[in-house]
Amino acid sequence: MPEIHYTSKRITIHLREAAERFGAPDPIGKISPFGSGNVNDTFLVASGVNEKASFILQRINAGVFNMPGWIMQNLRIFSAHVAKRLETIRPLERRWEMVRFRKTGEGKDFWIDPQGGFWRAMNLIEEAKSFDSIAGFNHASEIGFALGLFHSLVKDLAPGALKDTLEGFHIAPLYLRRYEAVLAGAHVAPSADTAFCTHFIEKRKSLVTVLEDAKTDGRLPLRIIHGDPKVSNVLIDTRTHLAVSIVDLDTVKPGLIHYDLGDALRSCSNPAGEDPFSLEEVRFEPQLCRAVLGGYMGVAKDFVAPSERNLLYDAVRLISFELGIRFFTDFLEGNVYFSVTDSEQNLRRAIVQFRLCQSIESRAKVLRKIIDEAK
Ligand code: GN1
Ligand code: MG
């Protein structure tokens, strides 16, 4: 079998060598790109003979995470904590699995290749599936449950116990500042789409401080958060259709649960997903939002104080606005952060998030009511 290479703008590596470090199944059937992540390079290492021996191999994007060792250090602490907590709450009366990292022959949970690339591998969670967009109300409620369970499993893990693996992540005023600096030096041909984005951001600049102000003056406490609880990061059991795991743990670090709730809600309440066929499909569906919050509050309402609940509308509006700014900034910068299939994808993604933000604003009253009533 020929050596397998994978070449993208940031990776040229003998994948087989990386796979073998983590105890590749013998013989390897195929190593192929896996999932729809925008940041890391992810592969499925399939066994030629035994499907159960297949696993996920991932190369961390060092351009984004400049201390990848901290990610694994955090995950060791996090995994040990959650394993202990799960013991105390078992029986959970439903299936729930945590990501398990594989070890190299030297007993390490990562491998650094000769070019400095940082690799790790995870076992596949069996009979579970990820979706790129929301499939219905039960799905939305299950994602809420998964996030609520996650928050409740880490509620007694001190925020200071974990490193900040991605400084500035979800700090909206910093994204705005960065956007303004990039815009000032950008050489992008003006178009109706770029004008829509610049105008959209200009009109909403004052929104970006809402969560950071509440953090600074003590209205919102720091907790351990997931950081990226979008639809595709909650795995669904293929037989029961219940959430079975929450994956993509690189941004498990101190933060505000409002970042997580804002992100889960903007992701799950837009049935069109982040890369829709047509912009006309983009909308924020209040009943999906209700389903997510219902699933969440069912497990986690105890630690959402009324003063925190008050800021949930602002959070969902802000996180979609923030993601739009992040996509648009990356477009202006030449697509250096998020993976793209073409040079305009980040521009289209930004417009989707801005449209979603508009849809959230147009439904403010009903959303505030749903948030008030969620239990
Ligand atoms: C990125 O790589 P991925 O797809 O898991 C991003 C998230 C965004 C998301 C949008 C570290 O996540 O913040 O919400 O794209 N992750 C990072 O799809 O920036
Ligand atoms: Mg992610």
Side-chain angles (χ1 to χ4, degrees), residues 64-92:
V64 170
F65 296 103
N66 54 20
M67 296 294 282
W70 282 4
I71 295 179
M72 298 315 292
Q73 185 183 317
N74 275 359
L75 291 179
R76 274 171 235 133
I77 297 168
F78 163 83
S79 303
H81 180 88
V82 168
K84 226 183 312 146
R85 284 275 287 125
L86 278 171
E87 283 293 299
T88 65
I89 60 171
R90 296 246 187 239
L92 192 58

Side-chain angles (χ1 to χ4, degrees), residues 143-158:
I143 291 175
F145 168 84
L147 183 61
L149 181 62
F150 177 93
H151 283 165
S152 65
L153 288 170
V154 292
K155 69 179 181 195
D156 53 349
L157 179 58

Side-chain angles (χ1 to χ4, degrees), residues 87-127:
E87 283 293 299
T88 65
I89 60 171
R90 296 246 187 239
L92 192 58
E93 284 165 2
R94 55 185 285 171
R95 181 181 171 212
W96 185 257
E97 312 231 357
M98 297 302 299
V99 173
R100 281 182 301 122
F101 293 93
R102 294 170 73 96
K103 295 264 167 73
T104 64
E106 292 86 47
K108 297 236 162 68
D109 51 14
F110 61 91
W111 175 63
I112 299 177
D113 70 40
Q115 292 143 306
F118 193 100
W119 296 82
R120 44 100 185 271
M122 290 150 272
N123 288 337
L124 270 176
I125 293 178
E126 284 171 26
E127 289 171 17

Side-chain angles (χ1 to χ4, degrees), residues 36 48 75 79 84 113 148 186 208 210 255 271 273 275 288 346 354 361:
S36 55
L75 291 179
S79 303
K84 226 183 312 146
D113 70 40
V208 295
V210 62
D275 285 293
L288 286 168
N346 275 323
F354 291 150
E361 290 167 351

Side-chain angles (χ1 to χ4, degrees), residues 37-40 65 169 226-230 232-233 247-251:
N38 296 325
V39 171
N40 294 322
F65 296 103
F169 191 53
H226 179 280
D228 191 12
K230 61 179 178 180
S232 58
N233 284 336
V247 298
D248 187 6
L249 306 171
D250 303 330
T251 49

Side-chain angles (χ1 to χ4, degrees), residues 75 82-83 91 101 107 147 153-154 162 185 195 204 208 219 226 254-255 258 287 294 301 314 323 335 369:
L75 291 179
V82 168
F101 293 93
L147 183 61
L153 288 170
V154 292
L162 300 189
R204 288 166 180 80
V208 295
R219 276 175 292 147
H226 179 280
H258 288 62
Q287 297 314 323
K301 70 165 166 291
D314 304 271
L323 187 55
N335 308 309
K369 187 160 186 280

